[in-house]
Amino acid sequence: MSFLKANSATGMNAPSPTPSTSSASGSKRKRPADGVPVVYSQPQDTGTGEHVFTRLTYVNDFLRERKEKWHTFDDIMEYLNIPPGHIQREQLRALMRADNQGNRISWDSHDEKYRYKPKLDIRNPAQLKGHLQTQKSAMGLQIKDLKDGWSTVADDITKMEEKNEVLVRRAKDGVPKTVWGNDPSLMLPMDPAFAKTWHSVHVPEDPEELRKLLLANKLTAATQAKVIVAAPSGRKKKGPRRGGKQTNTHMIGILKDFSGMRK
């Protein structure tokens, strides 16, 4: 028995459209046209480049590009566009005065001026000569390290080399790489007679011919292979052990001796 009428299945109304796709009058809403950009809310200031450590990097770049002179704190803040009273002014002041190895900023406490601190505090020929004369070792200095605080180091090094004040090692293209200190008083003139005799000595270009010439004069060539003879060993070889450990020695007079029957 069914409670539904025969024509009830065909007479049912269709479900109403959802409110999200239809209006109050029942007509279907139009979808927005494709390609229209949707604008979402954005913060007015993202703060990019305004972090205190980011600005400290800008200070290092500013001083490195102008490393020939000292700069006041106000000049640096004006370059960063930080107004008076801003909280980062005191933060940057403390970071720029920090006494640590990673800080590349020099600070003059008398007039509060700042300057770039290079790897080597050498900026002119006089400072280079003083450094080379006072260092404990004769180790050379790399030109690339000197260039960090001395822009014209290549040209100035060449002038010092012409005066015999320094010794310079150059690359194949002539670019100076390393510099050492030099004492001009040790640059003595060569005796012309000795120089003439020195250059008159003929050295064969063929290494084999040079070796034979040295052997003919009872001289040993540096390239001659050395024969190493092993020294005889003074240790004697240990002979084989004969016989085993003797036991029952307290019964030698009682037991019969069969040692003569050994093969």
Side-chain angles (χ1 to χ4, degrees):
M1 181 176 180
S2 175
F3 294 96
L4 296 176
K5 295 182 180 180
N7 59 350
S8 62
T10 58
M12 293 179 63
N13 296 329
S16 61
T18 58
S20 60
T21 58
S22 62
S23 61
S25 60
S27 60
K28 194 172 183 180
R29 294 179 180 177
K30 295 182 179 181
R31 298 182 62 182
D34 295 337
V36 178
V38 180
V39 180
Y40 298 96
S41 61
Q42 295 287 342
Q44 295 182 357
D45 187 5
T46 58
T48 303
E50 295 185 359
H51 194 276
V52 62
F53 288 104
T54 304
R55 284 180 164 171
L56 181 63
T57 305
Y58 297 157
V59 174
N60 279 280
D61 296 339
F62 172 79
L63 296 177
R64 184 186 292 109
E65 295 172 358
R66 303 161 179 82
K67 53 192 171 186
E68 286 77 14
K69 63 178 183 178
W70 293 84
H71 302 271
T72 63
F73 183 76
D74 292 335
D75 292 340
I76 299 173
M77 294 299 103
E78 183 179 356
Y79 169 77
L80 296 176
N81 197 20
I82 300 179
H86 197 283
I87 187 174
Q88 287 191 357
R89 291 177 71 97
E90 296 304 321
Q91 293 175 349
L92 288 171
R93 193 194 303 270
L95 291 173
M96 291 163 61
R97 297 181 181 183
D99 186 13
N100 55 62
Q101 188 176 3
N103 187 16
R104 305 303 298 273
I105 300 175
S106 298
W107 169 51
D108 188 358
S109 59
H110 297 289
D111 50 5
E112 196 182 356
K113 288 187 177 181
Y114 301 86
R115 186 172 66 172
Y116 178 70
K117 183 193 300 182
K119 295 180 180 179
L120 298 174
D121 193 13
I122 301 174
R123 305 173 188 271
N124 51 59
Q127 293 180 354
L128 175 61
K129 290 176 61 177
H131 179 83
L132 294 174
Q133 291 173 358
T134 56
Q135 67 177 359
K136 297 181 180 180
S137 64
M139 183 175 58
L141 300 179
Q142 298 294 325
I143 301 298
K144 62 180 181 180
D145 294 339
L146 292 171
K147 195 174 183 179
D148 188 38
W150 187 358
S151 302
T152 60
V153 60
D155 297 335
D156 295 341
I157 286 291
T158 302
K159 296 178 182 178
M160 297 178 66
E161 184 182 15
E162 294 174 354
K163 299 178 182 178
N164 295 326
E165 295 178 345
V166 293
L167 299 175
V168 182
R169 182 180 68 86
R170 299 178 179 272
K172 294 182 179 180
D173 54 357
V175 177
K177 293 295 183 181
T178 314
V179 59
W180 290 268
N182 187 31
D183 189 356
S185 63
L186 301 178
M187 306 294 292
L188 302 177
M190 184 69 65
D191 185 8
F194 176 79
K196 183 179 180 180
T197 304
W198 176 271
H199 291 292
S200 64
V201 177
H202 175 68
V203 179
E205 297 182 0
D206 187 7
E208 185 63 23
E209 183 182 354
L210 177 60
R211 190 181 68 84
K212 292 180 180 179
L213 184 61
L214 291 173
L215 293 176
N217 290 273
K218 298 181 179 181
L219 297 175
T220 303
T223 57
Q224 184 176 353
K226 296 182 180 180
V227 180
I228 301 176
V229 180
S233 178
R235 296 180 60 183
K236 295 182 179 180
K237 293 184 178 180
K238 189 175 181 181
R241 183 178 179 181
R242 296 182 179 180
K245 184 178 180 181
Q246 294 183 0
T247 59
N248 299 332
T249 55
H250 62 287
M251 301 180 66
I252 293 178
I254 302 175
L255 299 177
K256 188 176 181 179
D257 186 10
F258 294 96
S259 60
M261 300 178 63
R262 293 180 180 177
K263 293 182 180 180

